[in-house]
Structures are given as structure tokens and as C-alpha cells.
Amino acid sequence: MHQGRRLLVLIFIASVLLVGCRANETQVARIEISPGFLTLNVSSPSKSLRVDFFDEDGNRIASTSEVNWTSSNPEIVSVDDEGVVRGAGVVGSSVLFAEVGGVKSDPITVLFADLAPGAVALSDSQFIEPPRVYWSAGEKISPGDQFRVAVDPNTDLQLGDVVLSSEKLPVGGRVVEITRESDRHILILELVPVREMYSNIRLNQSISLGEVQPKLSPSVSDYYTLRKDGDRTIFELKSFAHSTKGLSPEGHIIQIQSSAVETFSDSSDMDGFFTCDTSENMDIPLSVSLLPSSVSLSQDLFFDLNYDEITGGLQKMSVRGNVEATFETQVSIELQRGGSFLTCEAELVEIPLPIGGPLSLFFGGAVPLGVAFEMGGEANFANIGARLNIDARSEIEVGFICSAAGSNCQTISEAAAEVKSDFNWDIPSEYQMRIEPYIEGNGFARLSLGSRLLKKQLRWDTLIAKYGSQVTSSFARTIDQIVDEDYRSGYELNRFTSLGPDVDALVFLNFFKLNLPSLELQTSEDIVSSPKLASFRTDKDRFQAGDLVNLEIELDPETLDFFPGIYNVSKLHIFRSVNTESPQQLKKVVTLEAQDAQRVFYYGWTAPDPGTASDELFAFVETKLFENYFYGNFELGKAKTPSTNPFLLVADDYNDKIVEMSPDFSEVIDIKATESHLGKGKDNPNYGITNFSVSNGTVAYVAGDGSLSGGFSKFVIGDETVVSGANDDFWFAGANDTLTGVVRLDTNGANLDLYDHDGNSVRSIDYSCGGRLEPFVVFHPEMTETHFAFVALDHSYGDYSLAFASLDDGSCQWIHRVPQTHGNNYKVVGESVFYGDLVTNNKIVQMDLMGNVENQYTIINSGYVMDFVVAPEKSIIVFRRFEDDSFVDIYEWDNLILSFSKTINLSEKFNMGKVWRAELDSYSP
């Protein structure tokens, strides 16, 4: 009994000691498989792998845990519990992993392939020295270039043999020279294509780079730590407790003095994070700092490789997945007239590609991840500082896809980026200076192919994906922006992606006798800009001392926020410049404080002395994103009063355009509306702009079928399509300074629709006058409160009639009737209505607003007259056409008789054919 108790005690003590020993066993932090690459074939179908275990300090340790093996293609290459790898006799490849206690090894690739005739495979132990580049004709090694290896003297190799490693070493080439020594043979190998190493090879792999242990770049390994976050690896700056080389105690990196710029312009490595270039031969002081704790990278990438020698060789190679970069950089540079720039790049980490042996000469290498920025611009030797914060995420695929039957490849370029960014400029306050700086920041992922053991000579930077944002800016003093009518300060922030081949892509593809005709993909999207002007209106142009001038400033709603929901407008300033050549004449009219989300600003200004609004009043905006005493005002634009210029509807066989002319018809001021391929040509006899009107600078027009039988029509105000339909006809004109009207005839009857200049519906009423509708007008601002006017064909009389209709009930009152002719042209100027019966008797009748005849004017010139415009300063413009040539006749008033002034041939000006119709925006007595 006592003996049994003692046995239980011993068992208990042993179990405690055993648990204690297991608890004290060092935990495995990393697993390494050797060799890192294997080639199997029919003569050597199996090999054993060795597994080594390391703790978190990098010390090799023993482990009693069971090793679990995984093969991505077990039907091609299998692996048993002892790490013995066997090929199934099928040409192909597989990626293998070893796992212990949840810790995975880096993957290795195992290839099953037949050697080419004359090829000899050696194990890594038979190479006494690793390979090194012996001679290269260019900066990058290419077919025919040579490298050196040393092999065991017991190997029987001859000139012309193709020697390759069956394991990890990057050796594969034809022997062109042998130096036989007692303890080694020195071989000079000529680099050959893959097909001369293997007679039959197939690679079809999609390798998760998230399974590969990243390698920190040596220049930053002292500054970064790695942290796993799920399947992703985050790279973060360490907290700096002491100063290190290239790093100030505050954590700022790199101070570049002007004496060192020449060195850096040669892309030499610097102490710290960045490799930088500057403008060629530019002796400028630079400084760069990267805020500690602000840099992080993450990736979830896959390397896809499809190579099949039987079907043509390289078919696809790409990097795809998600990449993220977040960093903040501060930089200063002295900008010079003629342009200067600074570009800096930091490769923070490399993700090795798990392909070794001879294939690593072509498909090995790494995917470097990093961040970069560029700053530059122009100024008069201004020392510019900037801070740029980038938070960029992108889903990318960038690579090559090659034709199996041809010799051409195309780039794979797909990206969907999400970028958040903000910036701040440190701009100097020198007097009379224009500064145009830009700064760009991006994260990048590069596919760098070739053996990592042969350094840069056998590395091709073949593909690159960039994702980030760029700020372009322009700053000048307020008066300088006014003096130069073609210049306005401002800034824009956009996000971009750039995907495609890198600098060595063509050299790499030359190994496979492939070309690359396609170019890289670049996309850019504006996400922030300084506010822009929609309109700056005044109710009068010329003013006297004491006159009240009403000002209205409307901002473009698309430019008000610098991030969604963050309003960017701080203040609006209105300046008056009486003499733009003298800064002392620039006076502040008013500063308007912006309320949150405010788009329209009003101000009633009492003029202190006479002047002209369109020549002297300028609007500027001050934003929240950028504030600077000298350069913080960005010009919006000059005041505009209602135009008094004629607008013409000009048509050729395919296009109708509405254009604004200068008062003497010397030039086209602006194209106001265009409907392409809707012209009244022989192929489209019923289509085109059928009518238009101008009211306070806003053009409204109808495009489509103008017949009353229906058809497709679009009613457009400015650039906005208000209504479109298949069975509607629209006839319209400007109602007054704020409204545009539409008479709509459809199957349900006829209506009057009123819209504001933003295209918003104000009111819709039925009208009861009947008759066939023609373009209608509203005479006078005071009258629009109760009535509108239109022209209709009164069927009971067979006459064209001008009528009033009530805005309350649509009831009508005929105020003027004329016999039915082609002269149904009514114009409203001030307190008068002008009716032109031009085709039959060349007369223009002047009436008051109630249709009472006041004067009649006779046009001396005859001809097929299309239209007329009553112009300011008591002149009239008549449009006529002879055999497809359009003319403008300008007449002057002279004792109730119009005398000919001059004729302008518009067909020579437009080279477009016919002038169909004309409008005058408004009239200033």
C-alpha cells in the first residue's frame, strides 16, 4: 500500500518536472528550409529538405515539435512528414511550406523539369565560390554577358557545357573559359536563356507574398520594426531614444548642404532614409525631414508567374493585391527661375521572391516597398518649405501578359486607389514675387527581378506601381494677379496611380525575345482645389458717385470643400483697382466673412466716385487650407455686367453653335452652347438647335426635333439639361435677370414653365390663348410679376399675334396682330417692342409695351433677311443670306430712316455656312 503511494508521488513529480521543462523550452520564432530551391528530374526524382529553427533573437535552437509540410501542387511535387520531396514525373512546379506551432517558414519553389541537351546540374556544395559578375557590356546584364564561378576540381566540365545549380545558387550559363587550379576550377559562364538550361519547363504559380518574411533595407533597419496585423505586415518607425548617424536628436533626417548637392544629383546613397536627385548642376540648399512615427507600410500581394517553354515561354508575370502607405514629410528647397526640383525615394523593405537556382537569374528578386516624394517649381530664388501628409491605399495589378504565338507583350495596369492627403506651404513674403511650387508624395511597389546575390548588375526594375497625391500651386500678390489678366493664383490637390513598366523592362524582356509596345497607365483625379468662381454679377456697369451697386458673388459648389464636409472658404475680398499699373490705387471695397457651406454672397456698395464695374471690381477668396499674409488671396475673377453683345446661332451641315460676338463682329468671344451632330444637314434634316435665348449671361436653348409633331428634344440652361422627352416641343426665351421661361406643348395641352438660371423649376401654369406657339419673351422685369408675353399664330385670323398672358390663370390678351408672313421677329429693348417684317417689305416697327405703334423704319438693303438685333447706342444689326453666304448689315438711326453702315461676311469668319438667328442679351440705354 505504501509502495503504491510512493509510485503515485513519483509520477506526479515527474509530470510537474516535464511540464516545467516544456514551459522553459525556447519558442520558435522563425523556420528556415534548406536548400531554398530544388530541381528534380527523372534521374533525380527525390531529395531531402532540412529544417532549422530560430528564436526571436536569431539564434538557432532545437525543437521537439512536429513539423507540418504543405505543397501547393502535390500532384506534381509531394513532401512527406520527414521532409522528403518527390516528383510525380510531371513537368511543373510547386511551392512548399514548413510549419511548427503556428509559425510558417518562407516558401520555397521546387521544380520538376528535364535538362536541356548538354546541360549539367551541380549541387550547391560543388560550388566553392558564389557567382559574381565578371564582365557586362552595359549597365544591366543581358544575353551573352558573363559571370564567374569556382567549382570543385573533381567536376568534369568542358567548354560549351551549360552549367546550372540544382539547388539555391543563381548559376546557369555556358562555359566559355576554364582555368584549372589544384583546389578549384574557375569557370567563366556566358548567360543563356532559360530554354538552353531546360528542355521542358513549366511554372504556373501564384505566390502569396504575405507568407514571405520581409527584409528591411540596410539603411533603415536601425529605424524600423515589423509588426504583424492579421495576414499583413506593418512597418513602423521605432521610437528614437538617442541620436544616430543621419538622424538628429529630434528625429529629423538628412540635412543636405549645397556643397553636397553634386554628389546627391548622381543618385548616391545618403545616410538616412532617402536617396535623392536634384536638378542637374543645380547648386541649391536643401533640407529633408521625415517625422518619426509617421511612416507605415502594409501589403497583401501575390506574385503571379506563368512560364511554359512548350507553348512559347513567358506568358504572364504580375504583382497584384493591396498596398498601403502612410507618411508625413517636411522638405524645403530653394526654387529658381527656370525650374528646380528635388526627388527622394526610400525603399523601406523588400519582400523576396521565393524562386532560387538558375530561375532566380530571371524570376528571382524581390518586391521593394517604399515611399517617395518630389518637390519643385519656379520662383525668383525663393526658399520654399512644405509639409505633405499621405495616407494612400490601392488595389493594384501591374505586370506583363505575353502572346504565346507572337513576340509582343502588353502591360497589365489596373488600380483602384483611395488617397487622403493634406498639405501646408511655408511661403516667403518677398515683395513682387510669383511662386509656382508643387509637391508629390507616393507609396510604391516595384517588381525587381534577378538574383539578389549578384547585386545591382543582375537586377532589373521591370514593373512599378505608384499611388499617392500631388499638390500644384501658384501664388502671387493681389495686385500682381489683377495686373496680369491671364494669371490667377490657386492650388489643386489630386490623387493618382501610375502603373506600368519600369526602367529595365525592355532589357529584361529581351532575354525572351519579347517586345513591349504598350505604355504605362496613369490616372489622376482632382480631390481638392482652391475655390473657383461661378459668377460675379453687378446690376449696373457704369456708376456715379453715390450710386448703389449691388454685387452678387457665386462660388462653384464643387470647389468649396477640401475634404468632404470640411468647408474651405474663410473670407471673400472685393478690391477696386482704378489704375492697375499703380499698387497704391488698389483699394479694399469689402471683406465678407464666410458662413459654413455658404455659396452665394451679396453686398450693396455705395460708389464713392464714378467708375466702371467691369473694369475695376475684382473678387478674391481666402481659404482655410492655406493662409499667408502676402499670398493668401486667390483671384476669383472680374465683375461682369449683363452683356450687350449679339449672340448668333450659326449652323453647318453637322453642328449648331451659339457664339457671342464682339460689338463690331471682329471676333468670337465665347462658344456658349454646342450640340454636336445635331445640325440641320441632309442626313438630319429635322435636328439641330431650334431656338435659343440669352438672359443675364445664361444661354438657354432647345436641341432636337423642332417640329410641332413631336420628336426628341432637350431644353438646356447653360450647361445643364433641364428637361428631355420624346413628345415635347419647347419654345423659350429669357424671362428676366433671374428667370428663364418655357412654353411646352404636349399631348396634354400647353404650359408655361419658369426656371431659374440654375435650372430649378420655379412655376408651371396652363395658358389659354391657343394657336401655334413661337418663341416667347417676357418684356420687362416689372411685368414678370404678373404677366408674360409670347408670340402665337392665331388660327381664327391667320395672323401672327403678340399676346400677354396672366401668370395667375394663364388668361390671354392679344396686343398686336400682323398679316401672316415670314417676319415674325419680335425684339424687346427697354420700354419698346420691335417687330420686323423683313422678308416682304423690309420694315421694322417700333411699339410700346402694349402694342401701340410708335415708329416705322425701312431697311434700304433687300434680300433674304433672316433676323435682326436692336443694338445699343441706337444701331440695328440685320442678318441676311445669299446662296449660303451669311452677311451682317449694321445700320444707324437717322431721322426715322435706316442708312447702310457696313456689311460683314460671316461665312468667311465662321467657315460654317448659315446664320439662322440672333439675340441681344440685354440693352443698356
Side-chain angles (χ1 to χ4, degrees):
M1 189 73 177
H2 294 288
Q3 189 176 8
R5 289 180 179 176
R6 281 196 294 269
L7 179 60
L8 290 174
V9 171
L10 290 174
I11 293 173
F12 174 76
I13 294 173
S15 65
V16 171
L17 291 174
L18 182 60
V19 171
C21 290
R22 289 179 178 173
N24 292 329
E25 181 179 321
T26 305
Q27 187 174 0
V28 175
R30 182 168 62 88
I31 305 172
E32 187 176 291
I33 303 174
S34 299
F37 178 85
L38 274 180
T39 301
L40 305 177
N41 50 49
V42 291
S43 61
S44 180
S46 66
K47 289 186 180 180
S48 295
L49 298 173
R50 188 182 80 245
V51 179
D52 293 313
F53 306 96
F54 300 86
D55 63 17
E56 60 182 10
D57 296 323
N59 302 314
R60 182 178 278 107
I61 60 174
S63 175
T64 60
S65 301
E66 181 180 356
V67 178
N68 297 314
W69 291 91
T70 304
S71 172
S72 63
N73 291 318
E75 69 278 6
I76 295 174
V77 175
S78 63
V79 57
D80 62 20
D81 293 341
E82 303 301 322
V84 178
V85 180
R86 293 180 176 85
V90 180
V91 172
S93 64
S94 181
V95 176
L96 272 59
F97 293 91
E99 182 179 357
V100 172
V103 178
K104 267 189 176 182
S105 68
D106 280 358
I108 70 164
T109 300
V110 178
L111 177 69
F112 192 96
D114 299 327
L115 297 180
V120 179
L122 303 179
S123 66
D124 285 356
S125 63
Q126 293 176 280
F127 292 94
I128 297 174
E129 291 180 1
R132 61 187 178 88
V133 172
Y134 175 69
W135 175 82
S136 177
E139 293 182 0
K140 295 291 181 180
I141 200 167
S142 59
D145 286 351
Q146 299 170 359
F147 59 99
R148 163 185 164 149
V149 294
V151 299
D152 189 307
N154 296 319
T155 57
D156 183 18
L157 297 172
Q158 305 297 322
L159 292 176
D161 288 344
V162 173
V163 178
L164 61 151
S165 169
S166 64
E167 296 177 347
K168 186 175 182 179
L169 282 178
V171 178
R174 180 177 291 105
V175 179
V176 296
E177 183 180 327
I178 303 177
T179 303
R180 302 184 189 276
E181 300 177 357
S182 60
D183 62 340
R184 69 191 63 201
H185 291 171
I186 306 299
L187 306 181
I188 304 301
L189 304 182
E190 178 184 81
L191 195 61
V192 296
V194 176
R195 65 178 177 274
E196 296 188 28
M197 302 180 195
Y198 304 95
S199 62
N200 194 354
I201 182 174
R202 182 179 297 120
L203 294 165
N204 189 2
Q205 297 292 344
S206 180
I207 303 173
S208 172
L209 300 183
E211 305 287 353
V212 182
Q213 181 69 23
K215 309 294 183 185
L216 285 178
S217 301
S219 61
V220 296
S221 59
D222 290 337
Y223 309 131
Y224 278 91
T225 57
L226 280 68
R227 176 175 59 86
K228 276 288 190 179
D229 182 11
D231 294 334
R232 299 186 179 187
T233 305
I234 309 296
F235 309 98
E236 296 178 332
L237 279 168
K238 297 178 180 178
S239 58
F240 294 98
H242 59 277
S243 178
T244 60
K245 188 177 182 181
L247 193 68
S248 70
E250 293 78 18
H252 292 177
I253 301 158
I254 308 167
Q255 296 299 320
I256 312 173
Q257 304 302 322
S258 58
S259 60
V261 169
E262 184 177 353
T263 302
F264 300 136
S265 65
D266 294 331
S267 298
S268 299
D269 288 336
M270 300 181 297
D271 292 330
F273 291 124
F274 290 107
T275 298
C276 294
D277 291 337
T278 64
S279 305
E280 185 177 358
N281 299 323
M282 194 70 70
D283 186 16
I284 52 179
L286 311 170
S287 68
V288 182
S289 66
L290 193 63
L291 301 180
S293 74
S294 66
V295 178
S296 65
L297 298 174
S298 65
Q299 61 87 14
D300 185 10
L301 294 172
F302 291 82
F303 175 56
D304 294 339
L305 177 61
N306 190 342
Y307 183 95
D308 193 332
E309 191 62 50
I310 294 178
T311 57
L314 182 63
Q315 296 179 12
K316 181 182 178 182
M317 182 174 61
S318 71
V319 175
R320 61 180 173 86
N322 299 293
V323 282
E324 300 180 9
T326 301
F327 75 102
E328 184 174 7
T329 185
Q330 291 184 341
V331 58
S332 64
I333 179 175
E334 186 172 280
L335 300 183
Q336 299 182 4
R337 180 61 62 190
S340 53
F341 70 89
L342 167 71
T343 60
C344 291
E345 180 179 291
E347 283 190 5
L348 299 177
V349 70
E350 286 187 345
I351 306 171
L353 298 177
I355 298 179
L359 294 182
S360 70
L361 295 170
F362 308 99
F363 306 122
V367 176
L369 301 178
V371 295
F373 69 86
E374 177 177 329
M375 182 178 177
E378 294 187 1
N380 294 322
F381 298 96
N383 189 16
I384 307 299
R387 176 191 58 79
L388 180 66
N389 184 287
I390 299 291
D391 183 0
R393 299 169 175 83
S394 185
E395 182 178 348
I396 64 167
E397 181 172 13
V398 55
F400 304 128
I401 184 167
C402 306
S403 170
S407 61
N408 286 339
C409 296
Q410 293 182 340
T411 54
I412 304 170
S413 299
E414 296 182 3
E418 177 185 349
V419 179
K420 297 179 181 179
S421 180
D422 62 71
F423 72 99
N424 191 28
W425 291 109
D426 181 14
I427 302 296
S429 57
E430 282 85 350
Y431 200 60
Q432 290 186 327
M433 179 182 295
R434 181 180 298 181
I435 304 171
E436 299 177 348
Y438 72 89
I439 187 168
E440 173 186 311
N442 66 78
F444 65 84
R446 179 179 280 119
L447 179 58
S448 186
L449 295 176
S451 172
R452 302 177 74 245
L453 296 180
L454 295 182
K455 300 183 180 179
K456 291 293 185 181
Q457 287 97 333
L458 193 49
R459 292 287 296 277
W460 300 283
D461 291 332
T462 57
L463 298 165
I464 188 168
K466 296 181 180 179
Y467 51 100
S469 69
Q470 183 184 71
V471 182
T472 57
S473 306
S474 180
F475 304 104
R477 298 177 313 143
T478 303
I479 188 62
D480 295 332
Q481 297 179 64
I482 291 176
V483 171
D484 188 344
E485 294 185 359
D486 297 326
Y487 174 78
R488 292 174 185 173
S489 287
Y491 54 81
E492 290 186 351
L493 173 64
N494 64 59
R495 59 185 170 203
F496 69 88
T497 56
S498 174
L499 305 175
D502 210 349
V503 291
D504 301 323
L506 295 180
V507 179
F508 170 77
L509 291 175
N510 184 44
F511 270 98
F512 308 99
K513 299 186 181 303
L514 295 170
N515 298 317
L516 186 68
S518 58
L519 302 177
E520 68 176 340
L521 169 70
Q522 289 187 328
T523 62
S524 180
E525 179 186 5
D526 291 341
I527 55 177
V528 177
S529 70
S530 53
K532 302 296 188 295
L533 185 68
S535 64
F536 180 12
R537 299 171 178 170
T538 68
D539 60 349
K540 57 175 61 72
D541 192 19
R542 297 183 179 276
F543 51 82
Q544 302 297 322
D547 283 354
L548 178 64
V549 182
N550 292 306
L551 310 177
E552 177 188 296
I553 301 173
E554 182 179 353
L555 301 180
D556 181 353
E558 300 297 324
T559 63
L560 297 183
D561 297 343
F562 63 84
F563 282 119
I566 303 178
Y567 185 59
N568 192 27
V569 181
S570 175
K571 301 174 183 178
L572 257 63
H573 306 284
I574 300 176
F575 293 93
R576 183 186 182 193
S577 179
V578 179
N579 180 2
T580 58
E581 299 299 326
S582 173
Q584 288 74 19
Q585 295 298 315
L586 183 64
K587 298 180 179 180
K588 177 76 69 69
V589 173
V590 67
T591 293
L592 302 174
E593 296 284 345
Q595 304 301 315
D596 191 34
Q598 185 174 359
R599 182 171 62 91
V600 182
F601 299 78
Y602 300 95
Y603 183 68
W605 176 57
T606 301
D609 46 54
T612 305
S614 58
D615 292 334
E616 300 175 9
L617 297 182
F618 298 83
F620 285 76
V621 64
E622 183 179 327
T623 68
K624 296 178 180 178
L625 182 58
F626 177 81
E627 296 179 347
N628 181 279
Y629 180 75
F630 282 90
Y631 298 97
N633 294 326
F634 303 104
E635 183 180 355
L636 293 171
K638 186 188 295 188
K640 183 178 180 180
T641 54
S643 173
T644 57
N645 298 328
F647 288 78
L648 310 182
L649 172 54
V650 182
D652 65 2
D653 286 341
Y654 297 101
N655 296 281
D656 286 353
K657 292 184 178 180
I658 298 173
V659 298
E660 181 180 359
M661 304 298 296
S662 62
D664 60 356
F665 288 79
S666 61
E667 62 180 340
V668 176
I669 295 176
D670 191 18
I671 295 176
K672 291 294 182 181
T674 301
E675 279 297 315
S676 298
H677 308 297
L678 289 174
K680 298 173 180 287
K682 60 182 180 180
D683 297 329
N684 297 300
N686 296 320
Y687 288 84
I689 299 175
T690 60
N691 232 312
F692 79 99
S693 178
V694 182
S695 180
N696 201 23
T698 298
V699 173
Y701 64 94
V702 168
D705 188 351
S707 68
L708 290 177
S709 60
F712 178 80
S713 298
K714 291 196 298 185
F715 173 57
V716 183
I717 298 177
D719 295 327
E720 300 296 326
T721 300
V722 177
V723 182
S724 63
N727 297 304
D728 297 339
D729 290 287
F730 304 98
W731 306 101
F732 61 92
N736 58 14
D737 286 347
T738 58
L739 298 178
T740 293
V742 182
V743 170
R744 176 166 50 87
L745 180 65
D746 55 30
T747 56
N748 297 322
N751 302 86
L752 168 70
D753 298 330
L754 292 178
Y755 296 86
D756 63 21
H757 290 322
D758 291 327
N760 300 312
S761 178
V762 175
R763 194 173 182 190
S764 178
I765 64 170
D766 294 334
Y767 77 95
S768 59
C769 296
R772 174 177 171 176
L773 299 180
E774 292 291 343
F776 80 93
V777 293
V778 176
F779 288 149
H780 203 266
E782 286 77 8
M783 296 191 68
T784 61
E785 296 178 1
T786 55
H787 290 82
F788 69 96
F790 65 95
V791 180
L793 175 61
D794 182 1
H795 290 289
S796 59
Y797 289 90
D799 295 339
Y800 278 100
S801 303
L802 182 65
F804 281 157
S806 168
L807 283 176
D808 295 326
D809 57 12
S811 59
C812 293
Q813 173 188 357
W814 302 109
I815 60 173
H816 184 242
R817 286 193 174 116
V818 295
Q820 182 177 356
T821 68
H822 290 87
N824 56 314
N825 295 292
Y826 287 84
K827 309 294 179 184
V828 180
V829 179
E831 301 296 327
S832 296
V833 180
F834 292 86
Y835 165 75
D837 187 1
L838 300 180
V839 176
T840 56
N841 56 24
N842 301 321
K843 287 185 178 180
I844 295 178
V845 177
Q846 181 181 9
M847 305 175 291
D848 61 22
L849 293 179
M850 297 306 296
N852 301 311
V853 176
E854 295 181 345
N855 297 299
Q856 297 188 43
Y857 306 100
T858 301
I859 305 297
I860 296 176
N861 246 1
S862 62
Y864 186 25
V865 180
M866 301 296 299
D867 205 352
F868 72 96
V869 167
V870 179
E873 300 179 359
K874 296 197 174 182
S875 62
I876 192 169
I877 304 167
V878 177
F879 302 89
R880 58 193 175 94
R881 180 167 59 83
F882 293 97
E883 297 180 358
D884 292 336
D885 287 333
S886 299
F887 292 89
V888 175
D889 296 338
I890 300 178
Y891 297 85
E892 304 293 336
W893 303 109
D894 183 16
N895 296 326
L896 306 184
I897 297 177
L898 295 175
S899 60
F900 171 72
S901 175
K902 63 178 179 178
T903 298
I904 300 172
N905 189 337
L906 289 184
S907 64
E908 293 178 355
K909 177 177 295 296
F910 290 108
N911 194 25
M912 293 182 68
K914 310 173 182 65
V915 175
W916 291 100
R917 195 167 179 277
E919 287 261 353
L920 190 67
D921 186 1
S922 62
Y923 178 72
S924 299

